[in-house]
Amino acid sequence: MDKFVVRGNTALDGSLTVSGSKNTALPLMAATLLAEGPSTITNVPDLRDVRTFSKVIRYGGPSVTVDPDAHTLSVDATTLETPVAPYEMVKKMRASFYMLGALLGRCGRAKVSLPGGCAWGPRPVDLHIKGMRAFGADIELDEGYVHASTPDGGLEGGTFRLDPVSVGATINLLLAAVTARGGSKIENAATEPDVVAFGRALQEMGAQIDGLGTRTLEVQGVDRLNTGTFRNTPDRIELGTFILMAATASEPGTPIRIHEGTHEHLGPVFKQKLAQTGADVSYGDDIVTVTRPDQLRPVSIETAPFPGFATDLQAQWTVLLGTTDGTATVTDTIYDDRFKHVPELQRLGMKIEVDGNTATVHGGAPLKGAKAMSTDLRAGVSLVMAGMIAEGRTDVLRVYHLDRGYEALEQKLRDAGISIHREEYDEFAEPDLETAT
Ligand code: EPZ
């Protein structure tokens, strides 16, 4: 197993580059299954989740060719004779559940494992299932699997309202609706840039979708979709992560340049909150420049569906609050207990109290390096961020979480002046009590 060893004695300096989006690449991969033939996606990040999903797709029959150096991925979905997504694969990555919509949309039937929970609690798929039923699918749950089928001739289509707003359910329902026999309507749909980019790719394939980027999507089913070549968007969460790293770990007054992100995908709330901290940020076409002030101000945030503040950036924001000269809160309205990073950050000296879905952060506590455990990829990256500004050495354990969603993170940070390297370790080795301090 790997860990990152981070030393906080050097400032972030120079520039960082954003890779392709994990959360857009995955639905784009699912969309290619709707066309009988070869499709290609460019700007695909070299991530564990992309490799995992490639295996899920290959299991059904299509071929998947990944070129990590060229950042391209090709899927030839000419044949798809096994509409199944097995537990052993789906349990590794929740987004594999997109196979339900893709297989229903392509084959009219599917056997897909329920995803199970994740690091920060239950993440149900009831909206996905209720929505598919509303569109005319027959769905039985048996032995941990969703068994879905459609009347002869495929899904009829229908109307379904999402409550709460759900990125995954919006994507899954679109995958099923675009080849339905009739029309469909998704109300209270997600408007995340990942969903919009995915919907635009479906339109390029010939899907009839109105309302992308709004809360109401209207779909007119078509008989078949065409293959194509699609460019993946830049990763908006990696962009936000790098911006917050630049605002906290660079020398005050030294501009840090972040290349190849799409700043509009951060949403207006994140930008407003960041400006209120006193960070000096300029947004260019494919470059965001961040200059850290002498002192950041505490600013409370509350996560919400896009265009609100992204829940995937709340752990990173928590670390920023630790460097301010006051107290502020982080409230996650999307997930109840996405605060597994807090006890780990407390090991580095951060002063945080959690009450329900709100964390109160008291800035100004000096951080000292320590061993800390990643529990999910955004919690993990917040530990790296804290290690970059802590005195001494921080070992961020279980880096496989980070490898799911951050491409070559240690290389990118090392190239920007940070002392960080990857080391192998045996998590189950008997502790050497002589050296354990
Ligand atoms: C997507 O997950 C992202 N993953 C998550 O990013 C992100 O945190 C989340 O959206 C919210 O923005 C991918 O895109 C692969 P949801 P998803 O369905 O689709 C509830 C990362 O770090 N809900 O929008 O699973 C759910 O419990 C990952 O990259 C139901 O109740 O999230 C949550 O409270 C972590 N029933 C809320 O909706 C359902 O059937 C939003 O979840 C589905 C969801």
Side-chain angles (χ1 to χ4, degrees):
M1 198 174 289
D2 289 352
K3 63 181 175 180
F4 281 154
V5 177
V6 189
R7 286 183 172 78
N9 51 356
T10 55
L12 188 74
D13 189 15
S15 62
L16 291 161
T17 300
V18 174
S19 298
S21 164
K22 167 175 83 80
N23 292 348
T24 307
L26 296 171
L28 287 177
M29 290 168 71
T32 64
L33 300 181
L34 295 172
E36 294 179 26
S39 295
T40 297
I41 305 167
T42 60
N43 196 30
V44 174
D46 180 18
L47 299 173
R48 272 183 73 229
D49 276 7
V50 169
R51 293 191 289 275
T52 299
F53 201 32
S54 298
K55 288 178 191 150
V56 175
I57 290 173
R58 288 191 189 106
Y59 186 88
S63 69
V64 182
T65 313
V66 186
D67 181 340
D69 298 331
H71 291 104
T72 59
L73 182 144
S74 298
V75 178
D76 186 341
T78 305
T79 58
L80 204 172
E81 65 271 333
T82 313
V84 176
Y87 171 72
E88 291 70 19
M89 296 179 176
V90 176
K91 71 174 180 175
K92 287 185 187 168
M93 186 190 67
R94 175 185 170 82
S96 306
F97 203 62
Y98 293 156
M99 291 302 284
L100 177 62
L103 294 174
L104 274 179
R106 169 67 187 272
C107 314
R109 60 196 173 90
K111 179 186 173 187
V112 177
S113 168
L114 287 164
C118 81
W120 64 84
R123 287 174 69 187
V125 287
D126 57 312
L127 295 175
H128 300 240
I129 291 167
K130 286 175 192 160
M132 296 298 177
R133 284 181 170 141
F135 288 2
D138 295 324
I139 293 200
E140 298 296 326
L141 302 185
D142 184 34
E143 297 181 348
Y145 278 82
V146 174
H147 299 265
S149 58
T150 54
D152 296 341
L155 275 180
E156 179 56 44
T159 295
F160 188 68
R161 176 177 181 77
L162 294 171
D163 182 13
V165 172
S166 161
V167 169
T170 302
I171 288 167
N172 232 345
L173 293 175
L174 277 175
L175 283 163
V178 290
T179 58
R181 279 181 287 145
S184 301
K185 192 173 182 184
I186 303 170
E187 296 175 335
N188 205 27
T191 62
E192 271 69 3
D194 317 299
V195 176
V196 174
F198 159 72
R200 289 205 180 117
L202 288 174
Q203 289 173 325
E204 285 173 41
M205 295 172 78
Q208 304 292 316
I209 306 170
D210 286 322
L212 283 174
T214 76
R215 292 278 179 233
T216 302
L217 299 177
E218 308 221 47
V219 182
Q220 188 52 46
V222 295
D223 289 340
R224 55 177 294 114
L225 292 183
N226 311 311
T227 59
T229 296
F230 314 103
R231 181 164 177 76
N232 182 27
T233 58
D235 194 304
R236 66 193 189 97
I237 304 302
E238 186 183 28
L239 173 61
T241 303
F242 285 169
I243 288 172
L244 297 179
M245 285 179 168
T248 53
S250 63
E251 280 302 324
T254 305
I256 304 294
R257 287 170 301 286
I258 303 164
H259 298 278
E260 298 184 23
T262 301
H263 65 78
E264 294 84 355
H265 291 176
L266 293 166
V269 175
F270 175 84
K271 291 180 176 178
Q272 285 154 13
K273 294 292 185 180
L274 184 60
Q276 288 168 16
T277 68
D280 174 5
V281 188
S282 68
Y283 299 98
D285 278 350
D286 76 349
I287 178 168
V288 176
T289 305
V290 182
T291 306
R292 179 184 172 201
D294 288 329
Q295 177 59 63
L296 286 169
R297 292 189 295 271
V299 175
S300 295
I301 62 113
E302 189 166 294
T303 69
F306 195 87
F309 193 105
T311 172
D312 293 348
L313 288 171
Q314 58 99 329
Q316 301 92 315
W317 189 268
T318 302
V319 176
L320 177 141
L321 291 181
T323 70
T324 65
D325 58 355
T327 295
T329 58
V330 172
T331 299
D332 199 325
T333 70
I334 307 284
Y335 295 108
D336 290 339
D337 73 341
R338 196 179 183 178
F339 292 117
K340 293 282 187 305
H341 47 286
V342 168
E344 302 302 320
L345 291 172
Q346 288 168 335
R347 289 178 49 74
L348 274 74
M350 281 194 70
K351 301 283 182 256
I352 313 173
E353 296 108 31
V354 175
D355 177 11
N357 65 343
T358 294
T360 301
V361 185
H362 305 283
L367 299 192
K368 201 164 175 320
K371 284 191 173 74
M373 181 85 72
S374 304
T375 49
D376 70 83
L377 81 139
R378 309 304 175 188
V381 86
S382 76
L383 303 180
V384 172
M385 209 173 140
M388 289 160 62
I389 57 178
E391 184 224 324
R393 167 174 166 159
T394 295
D395 288 22
V396 179
L397 308 179
R398 295 188 181 174
V399 161
Y400 62 83
H401 287 293
L402 284 129
D403 292 338
R404 292 188 56 179
Y406 287 94
E407 182 182 54
L409 181 63
E410 75 269 34
Q411 188 59 53
K412 291 183 179 180
L413 292 176
R414 209 165 30 242
D415 291 349
I418 296 298
S419 169
I420 179 173
H421 68 272
R422 182 184 290 255
E423 260 183 39
E424 208 173 327
Y425 75 102
D426 175 356
E427 184 152 295
F428 305 102
E430 284 302 312
D432 174 357
L433 298 181
E434 295 301 312
T435 57
T437 50

